[in-house]
Amino acid sequence: MRKLVAAALVAVLSLALAAVALAQNPSPSSTAPSVTGTISPSKAGTKTKPKASTVKLFVKNNRNDTTVSSIVIFLPKNVKVSGKGFPVCTAATLNTKGATACPAGSKVGTGTAHAVVGPGRAPIQFTNDAYVGGKSSLVFYVQQKGGTVRKALNSPITSAGGKFGQKITVKIDPDLQQPAPGVFSSLVDLQATIKAKRGKNSIATTTGCPTDKKHRVGVTFKFTPNSTFPGTGSVTNAGSSPCSK
């Protein structure tokens, strides 16, 4: 599969590089990512009566000189994501057999992502579906639109502490960072929606609303340098979603 990916990307890059042979990459920016998070419905549940909810997230990477090695999504204190009561589909199953092998009800989210590859910044688009990997784990299944790249990413759900309640850590595998030999990628943006119910269980619930009536959602990007995208370090930002009790 890697040879097929390499061949496809080389073809795309050849066209892109021809069009931008004399162009320069945009100047690097230290701007934090743009984060939009929405928790709905806005009227929250309580600790004794949690309310089934939908979590929507849109993030734009404003660093154009970077390859993302991990994404950490921080959830509000009054929002809980749990795979309890849902069928499980592991990353191993998705990577070896594909989504059709997953049990019904294990898919709990959908999304998209955009990236660019190589010095010519050729665009690639992905679908990004979420599956339950366990009570405290999601699996994000990334599939290239019109291409052969497919990868399931284990994403544990752990306690965040501080002003957030939970965090979901998504590690970007090396073969997504470098989908072909010497060809590196840079994330442009991603969008995800987490929403599912099974019996009395919901993948996401609210248990209250802060006194300032805002659910806060944060994102951290960690970067790894390479010959095309030399940016290092990490950036963090947060957005908010209105709520009421």
Side-chain angles (χ1 to χ4, degrees):
M1 183 185 82
R2 195 171 178 85
K3 291 182 179 179
L4 292 175
V5 174
L9 286 175
V10 167
V12 172
L13 284 170
S14 296
L15 293 174
L17 287 170
V20 295
L22 300 178
Q24 298 294 321
N25 285 335
S27 299
S29 169
S30 59
T31 307
S34 305
V35 180
T36 302
T38 304
I39 312 297
S40 59
S42 58
K43 186 172 177 58
T46 65
K47 289 183 178 180
T48 56
K49 292 184 178 181
K51 181 177 287 187
S53 302
T54 300
V55 177
K56 291 185 178 181
L57 178 70
F58 176 80
V59 184
K60 181 181 178 183
N61 178 21
N62 291 317
R63 289 282 303 273
N64 59 32
D65 64 335
T66 58
T67 290
V68 176
S69 59
S70 69
I71 304 168
V72 183
I73 302 167
F74 294 91
L75 299 173
K77 279 191 173 182
N78 300 109
V79 175
K80 183 178 181 180
V81 172
S82 173
K84 180 181 178 181
F86 284 84
V88 168
C89 188
T90 65
T93 296
L94 285 162
N95 282 328
T96 57
K97 299 179 181 179
T100 56
C102 291
S106 60
K107 183 177 176 179
V108 294
T110 58
T112 59
H114 296 85
V116 293
V117 294
R121 305 181 71 83
I124 323 176
Q125 186 174 359
F126 300 90
T127 58
N128 180 32
D129 296 325
Y131 292 81
V132 172
K135 181 180 178 181
S136 300
S137 176
L138 294 177
V139 177
F140 289 100
Y141 188 41
V142 179
Q143 300 181 83
Q144 181 187 359
K145 288 189 174 182
T148 59
V149 177
R150 292 176 177 82
K151 192 72 176 184
L153 305 173
N154 279 313
S155 306
I157 305 167
T158 57
S159 176
K163 61 183 179 180
F164 298 104
Q166 293 176 310
K167 61 182 179 181
I168 304 171
T169 302
V170 187
K171 291 185 177 180
I172 310 302
D173 284 4
D175 54 354
L176 290 179
Q177 297 177 34
Q178 185 181 187
V183 179
F184 297 94
S185 67
S186 179
L187 178 68
V188 175
D189 60 47
L190 64 88
Q191 176 271 328
T193 298
I194 305 297
K195 177 186 179 181
K197 289 189 70 176
R198 187 170 180 86
K200 295 181 180 180
N201 298 297
S202 176
I203 190 66
T205 56
T206 53
T207 59
C209 176
T211 55
D212 64 356
K213 298 182 179 180
K214 292 180 180 179
H215 286 309
R216 284 176 174 77
V217 180
V219 171
T220 293
F221 288 142
K222 185 176 180 180
F223 306 123
T224 186
N226 55 64
S227 57
T228 303
F229 302 107
T232 61
S234 62
V235 290
T236 300
N237 204 0
S240 63
S241 178
C243 63
S244 63
K245 296 182 179 179

